[in-house]
Amino acid sequence: MSATKTVPSGQRKGLRPRRKEAIACYLFILPWLLGFIIFVFAPMVASAFLSLTQFSVMSPPEWIGTANYVKMVHTPLFWQSLNNTLFMVALDLPLGLLASLAAAVLLNQKLRGINIFRTIFYLPALIPAIANVLLWVWIFDKDSGILNVFLKLLGLAPQPWLTDPQWAKPSLILMNLWGIGGAMLIYLAGLKGIPTELHEAGKIDGATTWQAFWKITIPLLTPTILFQLVIGVIFEFQIFTQGYILGG
């Protein structure tokens, strides 16, 4: 005679809401999950496979193993491009993080018309990458560029911003700093999430604005800064359109 284990009715009823919540959760994330699998994960797997083959589009891929990577490592341009990328990570990334944070702090003030300034700062981030680069090609033009015109008004000599290797990377950094609106918006959201009571308590304790910024704002903004750092590194390693069009 087998003994059957009975589950209390209260526990049986408690399983149903949890199961409903799990189903609802999966249904909500299903569109994103499908998009990630189809448009991100599947292309990543396909790219990893094709990188190990000889593929000319018109013929089926032929397996060659790591020959493409060996050829890449022995190409001088690979090391030059890697050096340029590391230069952008070391200089452009910190400047972008600091500039976007400074802009967010300034735009977090309670002033009349502050929303207009927030919109103005964010608008450059909405410009398509190619249109943005073409705009800066005109700005950096050696003969008629607005930047060199301004230098002439100051009595300075015009600079070959895009044709001189000494100025090419600083020009690219300046162009990237113009589009800090997206990062600024994320910082601004992080600043809005910091309780104002903490800053008020700091003022009562005699903390200055600078002390409150370093002792309260920065520690509570650490998750946002980490997120911006990770996204920034990914962005720096994906820079191609700007340099390709500027170089052309």
Side-chain angles (χ1 to χ4, degrees):
M1 182 176 181
S2 60
T4 58
K5 185 178 180 181
T6 60
V7 179
S9 59
Q11 293 184 10
R12 290 199 301 268
K13 292 181 180 179
L15 293 176
R16 294 178 181 177
R18 292 182 182 178
R19 188 174 301 174
K20 290 181 180 180
E21 290 179 0
I23 294 175
C25 175
Y26 287 121
L27 288 177
F28 274 114
I29 67 173
L30 183 61
W32 177 89
L33 191 61
L34 290 176
F36 174 79
I37 293 174
I38 297 173
F39 298 109
V40 178
F41 182 73
M44 286 175 58
V45 175
S47 299
F49 170 75
L50 292 176
S51 68
L52 301 174
T53 64
Q54 180 68 37
F55 185 43
S56 60
V57 180
M58 301 301 295
S59 59
E62 179 183 353
W63 181 267
I64 58 174
T66 59
N68 288 328
Y69 292 97
V70 174
K71 182 179 179 181
M72 177 185 68
V73 172
H74 288 85
T75 302
L77 286 177
F78 167 75
W79 297 105
Q80 181 179 350
S81 63
L82 182 61
N83 179 58
N84 292 334
T85 301
L86 294 178
F87 176 87
M88 296 298 292
V89 172
L91 190 59
D92 182 41
L93 179 59
L95 289 176
L97 293 176
L98 292 175
S100 56
L101 177 58
V105 171
L106 291 175
L107 296 175
N108 193 37
Q109 308 301 317
K110 295 181 180 179
L111 299 174
R112 179 178 297 180
I114 194 66
N115 290 331
I116 298 176
F117 290 99
R118 292 173 182 172
T119 304
I120 293 173
F121 268 81
Y122 182 66
L123 280 177
L126 300 178
I127 300 177
I130 296 179
N132 184 24
V133 174
L134 293 177
L135 173 64
W136 281 93
V137 167
W138 172 70
I139 294 176
F140 287 136
D141 187 82
K142 182 179 179 181
D143 300 320
S144 59
I146 188 174
L147 192 55
N148 279 335
V149 171
F150 182 72
L151 291 178
K152 290 179 182 178
L153 293 177
L154 296 177
L156 301 175
Q159 300 296 330
W161 299 101
L162 302 179
T163 56
D164 188 350
Q166 183 179 357
W167 289 104
K169 286 183 284 190
S171 301
L172 186 59
I173 292 175
L174 181 61
M175 184 183 66
N176 288 337
L177 290 178
W178 190 65
I180 61 174
M184 178 271 298
L185 193 65
I186 296 175
Y187 274 129
L188 189 59
L191 291 172
K192 291 295 183 183
I194 298 177
T196 57
E197 294 83 0
L198 297 178
H199 288 278
E200 294 174 355
K203 290 181 180 179
I204 295 174
D205 291 337
T208 63
T209 303
W210 188 249
Q211 289 174 339
F213 178 76
W214 282 106
K215 301 290 185 175
I216 300 175
T217 303
I218 292 298
L220 294 177
L221 207 61
T222 301
T224 306
I225 297 175
L226 178 60
F227 173 80
Q228 296 280 55
L229 178 63
V230 174
I231 295 299
V233 171
I234 295 173
F235 170 78
E236 298 295 343
F237 273 90
Q238 289 181 336
I239 290 180
F240 173 78
T241 305
Q242 298 92 323
Y244 183 76
I245 297 178
L246 290 175

